[in-house]
């Protein structure tokens, strides 16, 4: 049996006349008749009783039609699934991100992406940058986003953007009206900061030490989001990454800081496995949103 024969048989059973079946298939009536005759020859039994110029399905024809109907329904589902995959409305997406980019930015960005691509399943994991790289290399996540420059032989790490840290102050702080904050402005201030082993902390301390400016370190945390909460409740001021600062605006005062101390945001993909069309679409979408956030 050939698929074209089954299509003609299916159309004839649905439309009940050769004329309407031919119209449904956009072929000639003789072509429909020939396909039905060939199908009957292949299966070895009549599919229709032919009387007074009309066709009536035999019991065997009716039984075959029921199976063809189920098969065509399955083929239709396959075709629909293929179309959904092609149009990025079906599939799964596993994303990992470092906290600086995954606590606020990635959930917000993922929500926007889902509005444009309903029907996909997503997972978002939040880990350290090193663990994010390991998850991508181990194929447990499709893509990763990190906030520290890292290398791994099984990963391709692509810098998306570098952006200067922001100074965050409690609401009503004496420096809240300054257009730009400098190290000199923070002399003697209570300061909350990253732990000493963090690259960001090293860069911050270097700038203050070069100017011999003292701060009072009152608290430390590895997360910019936690530093923001400490600032919000008056524990001190802080220098944090621009994405966290962007989403904290309103709860704290966010100011530019000079000299610039930059944060880096990078994409992580596997060197061994190609990205799906869905993952590539999300990467493009996330890059565009990221550039908007850090430049805003």
């Amino acid at each position: 049996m050939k698929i074209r024969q089954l299509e003609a048989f299916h159309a004839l059973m649905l439309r009940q006349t050769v004329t309407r079946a031919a119209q449904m298939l956009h072929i000639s009536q003789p072509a429909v008749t020939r396909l039905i005759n060939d199908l009957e020859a292949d299966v070895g039994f009549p599919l229709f009783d032919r009387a007074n110029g009309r066709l009536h399905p035999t019991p065997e024809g009716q039984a075959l039609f029921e199976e063809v109907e189920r098969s065509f329904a399955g083929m239709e589902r396959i075709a629909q699934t293929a179309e959904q995959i092609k149009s990025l409305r079906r599939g799964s997406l596993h994303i990992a991100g470092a906290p600086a980019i995954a606590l606020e930015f990635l959930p917000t960005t993922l929500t926007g992406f889902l509005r444009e691509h309903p029907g996909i399943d997503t997972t978002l994991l939040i880990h350290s940058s090193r663990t994010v790289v390991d998850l991508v290399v181990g194929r447990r996540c499709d893509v990763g986003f990190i906030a520290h420059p890292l290398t791994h032989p099984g990963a391709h790490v692509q810098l998306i953007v570098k952006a200067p840290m922001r100074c965050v102050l409690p609401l009503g702080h004496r420096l809240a009206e300054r257009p730009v904050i400098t190290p000199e402005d923070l002399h003697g201030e209570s300061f909350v900061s990253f732990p000493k082993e963090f690259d960001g902390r090293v860069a911050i301390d270097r700038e203050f030490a070069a100017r011999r400016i003292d701060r009072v370190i009152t608290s430390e945390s590895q997360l910019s989001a936690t530093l923001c909460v400490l600032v919000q409740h008056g524990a001190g001021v802080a220098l944090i990454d621009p994405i966290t600062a962007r989403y904290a605006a309103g709860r704290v005062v966010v100011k530019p800081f000079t000299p610039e101390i930059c944060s880096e945001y990078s994409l992580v993909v596997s060197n061994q496995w190609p990205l799906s069309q869905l993952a590539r679409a999300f990467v493009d979408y996330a890059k565009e949103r990221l550039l908007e956030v850090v430049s805003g």
Side-chain angles (χ1 to χ4, degrees):
M1 290 181 288
K2 298 180 175 63
I3 186 64
R4 200 59 175 162
Q5 294 171 350
L6 294 176
E7 288 175 343
F9 172 62
H10 185 254
L12 186 52
M13 290 291 290
L14 291 176
R15 296 295 186 260
Q16 300 182 342
T17 71
V18 172
T19 299
R20 290 199 290 265
Q23 292 171 345
M24 178 180 175
L25 296 176
H26 304 290
I27 60 177
S28 67
Q29 295 179 43
V32 172
T33 300
R34 183 171 62 254
L35 289 168
I36 296 299
N37 291 339
D38 291 344
L39 179 59
E40 288 180 321
D42 287 345
V43 299
F45 53 80
L47 299 172
F48 296 94
D49 287 326
R50 295 160 173 83
N52 300 320
R54 300 185 63 83
L55 299 177
H56 302 279
T58 63
E60 294 80 7
Q62 185 63 43
L64 181 62
F65 171 72
E66 291 171 2
E67 184 60 33
V68 170
E69 183 84 334
R70 284 192 292 269
S71 298
F72 273 36
M75 292 173 64
E76 180 64 23
R77 286 194 297 272
I78 293 172
Q80 289 175 354
T81 298
E83 178 58 31
Q84 289 170 346
I85 293 172
K86 179 182 178 182
S87 61
L88 308 182
R89 290 182 289 111
R90 188 182 181 106
S92 61
L93 186 60
H94 298 265
I95 307 158
I101 197 169
L103 289 175
E104 293 273 5
F105 170 77
L106 283 179
T108 303
T109 300
L110 189 56
T111 300
F113 186 76
L114 288 171
R115 281 196 293 267
E116 295 185 9
H117 304 281
I120 65 173
D121 299 320
T122 62
T123 300
L124 173 60
L125 302 179
I126 304 176
H127 290 281
S128 68
S129 291
R130 176 62 63 186
T131 301
V132 168
V133 173
D134 291 339
L135 288 170
V136 173
V137 172
R139 297 197 73 190
R140 286 173 286 172
C141 285
D142 301 302
V143 297
F145 296 87
I146 60 176
H148 299 287
L150 294 174
T151 59
H152 190 289
H156 174 64
V157 180
Q158 176 193 0
L159 176 65
I160 301 173
V161 65
K162 293 175 66 173
M165 288 184 173
R166 302 290 194 265
C167 183
V168 290
L169 315 165
L171 297 177
H173 191 273
R174 65 179 181 86
L175 300 173
E177 300 303 320
R178 294 283 181 91
V180 178
I181 305 299
T182 67
E184 289 75 14
D185 294 328
L186 301 180
H187 178 73
E189 282 283 342
S190 296
F191 202 89
V192 295
S193 192
F194 303 108
K196 291 181 179 179
E197 64 272 16
F198 274 44
D199 292 342
R201 169 68 178 271
V202 172
I204 292 169
D205 288 353
R206 184 185 303 120
E207 292 296 341
F208 282 86
R211 291 163 175 77
R212 298 182 181 180
I213 296 173
D214 294 327
R215 298 157 295 154
V216 181
I217 306 296
T218 62
S219 186
E220 296 180 352
S221 175
Q222 74 272 34
L223 298 181
S224 289
T226 303
L227 296 180
C228 270
V229 175
L230 290 167
V231 171
Q232 180 182 351
H233 292 283
V237 302
L239 292 175
I240 63 169
D241 72 275
I243 289 182
T244 304
R246 169 71 178 272
Y247 288 103
R251 294 184 287 114
V252 294
V253 177
V254 179
K255 293 292 181 178
F257 182 83
T258 185
E260 289 188 352
I261 303 171
C262 286
S263 297
E264 296 185 2
Y265 301 102
S266 299
L267 168 72
V268 183
V269 297
S270 171
N271 277 339
Q272 305 298 317
W273 311 103
L275 287 178
S276 67
Q277 291 185 12
L278 181 61
R280 285 198 298 271
F282 178 73
V283 165
D284 292 342
Y285 184 87
K287 284 181 177 179
E288 186 176 342
R289 299 288 87 76
L290 181 60
L291 292 172
E292 290 176 358
V293 169
V294 300
S295 63

